Amino acid sequence: MSMPEREFAPGDGPAAKVSVSLRSGNIRAVKERVGARGFSAYVDSAIERQIERDLLEEALQANEAAAGPIPQEFRDEAAELFRTVKSAPELQEGDGWPAHRAE
């Protein structure tokens, strides 16, 4: 009988080897950004960010269910803030959003 796997929170625990299928264009794009040696760390970080986004979406839905929808005025303010940050001059140098280098 095998030992049950210990459960870890997202972002915690030892690295484990898994096999996944990815689109060729995504593989090329990641390798161009971080090289072959940084590939796993980059994908792991992307998965962690997606889990955080999923949890945030669930929290927002729970909040809206409890307190009602977020007023459009606040949505508009948040959208404008995002546009301002995204168009900041320091992000426009080179090719826009700077490439992320996994460590």
Side-chain angles (χ1 to χ4, degrees), residues 5-64:
E5 289 188 30
R6 182 171 165 208
E7 290 190 25
F8 295 96
D12 290 337
K17 193 169 193 110
V18 296
S19 175
V20 296
S21 298
L22 302 171
R23 289 185 284 255
S24 296
N26 290 342
I27 294 168
R28 178 195 51 74
V30 171
K31 284 183 178 179
E32 286 175 0
R33 290 180 174 274
V34 299
R37 295 189 54 84
F39 194 93
S40 292
Y42 189 90
V43 171
D44 189 55
S45 293
I47 291 169
E48 192 170 341
R49 282 190 306 277
Q50 184 61 49
I51 291 169
E52 289 170 352
R53 288 179 180 158
D54 292 347
L55 293 171
L56 178 58
E57 180 63 27
E58 292 168 10
L60 288 170
Q61 289 175 358
N63 184 63
E64 283 192 10

